[in-house]
Amino acid sequence: MRGERWAWVDVDLDAVRHNVRRLAEVAAPARLLAVVKADAYGHGAVPVAEAALEAGAHGLAVALVQEGIELRRAGIEAPILVLSEQPAEQVPDLVAHGLVATVYTIPYIDLLAESARGVDVTNVEVHLKIDTGMHRVGAQPGAAVELAGRLAARAPQLTVGGVFTHLSSADSPDSDETDRQLAIFDKVLEDLRRAGHSPELVHVANSAGTLAHPRARRDLVRTGIAMYGIAPDPALDQLCRDLRPAMSLRARVSLVKTVRAGDGVSYGLRHRFSEAARVATVPIGYADGVPRRLFGTGGEVLIRGRRRPIVGVVTMDQLMVEVDDDVSEGDVVTLFGVDEFGECIEANEWAARLGTIGYEIVCAVSARVPRRHSP
Ligand SMILES: *Cc1c(COP(=O)(O)O)cnc(C)c1O
C-alpha cells in the first residue's frame, strides 16, 4: 500500500545505544544482558537488539522461545537467554536455535538433555534460576545443590553457564527485601561452591537493581526498562537523569474544526465547551494503545512544542484535542516521548495519570502502529 497511516512510533536507536553505554558504565565490571522480550518492550526486538549489541551488550534476554528464534533468524549470534522454563513442545526449537535455557526443575533438565541428544547437539548452555523470595519462577533455595548435581550428571549435553535470581522490590529504595533476597542467594552460591559447582556467570539485577543496588551487580546485569530510557519507578528518577527516552508515539492532525459554546465532543459529549473553541482530531485511539481513560485524568499531547489537552473520551481509532489558531491539518502530534522542540511527555507521566507503570504504557502500543527506527 502506498503511504502510511498518520500514526507511528519513532524509535531513537541512538538513545538505546546511549542508554546501554551508560548502564554498562554503572554496572562495570559486570557485563550487560539487554532484555528485549515483548518485542523489546514495544520498541522492535531486532533493531533494538542490534543497537544494544553495537553499544557493547554481552547478550540478550527474552521471555519466549519464539522471541529468541526471531532474533536468530535476523542473523544475531550473541547469547540469548530465555528467562523461564518453556512448554515441552518448544524445547527442541530452543535447543536447535542455540538459545540459553533457564532451568529450575528436574523434568525440564531431563527434557533439555534428551532434546539435545535428539537433534545431535552436544552442548546446551543452561542457567539455574533460584527463587529467593519473589515466588514467580525458580528453584527453592534448598533444592539448588540437587539440581546442580542433576545438571552435572547430564554433561556433556548440558553446561551450566550461570546461576541467577530476580528481585521483587528493587524499585522500592526503602524496602529491605533486596537485602533479604541477596542474603538467601549468597547462601545458595556458598552451598553450590561447597558441593563443587562454580558456574561462570552469577546475575541478579534488573534495571532497578543495577541502578539502585550496587551489591546486586554481579557478573551480569539484565536491564530492560532503563535501556529504553524509562525509570523503573519515579523513586529512581534521579538515577535515570542521564538516560534518554527511546520511544515517541506520534500522529498527524487529520482535521481541525471550530465548535460553538455549549457544544460537546466525542462519545457521550463528556467534554463541553463553555466558549467557542478549535478542536483537532488525531487519528490514533485505544486500539493503538492510547488508553480510553487518559481523558479525565488530565491527559495532554504536544503540538508545535506546546501541551494541548485531550478533550472527550479517546475512541478506538481517534481522539480530539483543544488547540489554538496555530495548529493545522498535517501538524505532528507527540502523544508521549520527545518532540522536535525537545519538549517531552514521559511514558511515566501517562503511567502516573493511569495508576500504572511506564512498562505497561510502552508495551501497550499495538502492532497496528508502524515503528520507524532511526539509523
Ligand atoms: C523482564 C525481566 C528483566 C528486566 O527487568 P527491567 O525492570 O525491565 O529491567 C530482568 N530479569 C527478568 C527475569 C525479567 O523477567
Side-chain angles (χ1 to χ4, degrees), residues 70-95:
E70 184 192 354
L71 299 170
R72 285 283 182 257
R73 291 214 167 116
I76 292 172
E77 292 172 0
I80 301 173
L81 175 65
V82 180
L83 290 163
S84 57
E85 294 189 352
Q86 297 299 310
E89 309 77 55
Q90 296 183 353
V91 166
D93 279 332
L94 182 157
V95 169

Side-chain angles (χ1 to χ4, degrees), residues 316-328:
M316 189 181 295
D317 317 295
Q318 305 178 78
L319 59 82
M320 276 65 81
V321 296
E322 185 170 349
V323 296
D324 299 301
D325 289 339
D326 61 334
V327 169
S328 42

Side-chain angles (χ1 to χ4, degrees), residues 35 37 41 61 63 83 129 136 164-166 204-208 222-228 232 359:
V35 181
K37 62 193 178 189
Y41 296 35
L83 290 163
K129 169 90 189 271
R136 186 170 64 175
F164 73 108
T165 191
H166 191 53
V204 175
N206 54 3
S207 294
R222 307 183 305 270
T223 53
I225 198 73
M227 200 174 68
Y228 305 104
Y359 298 73

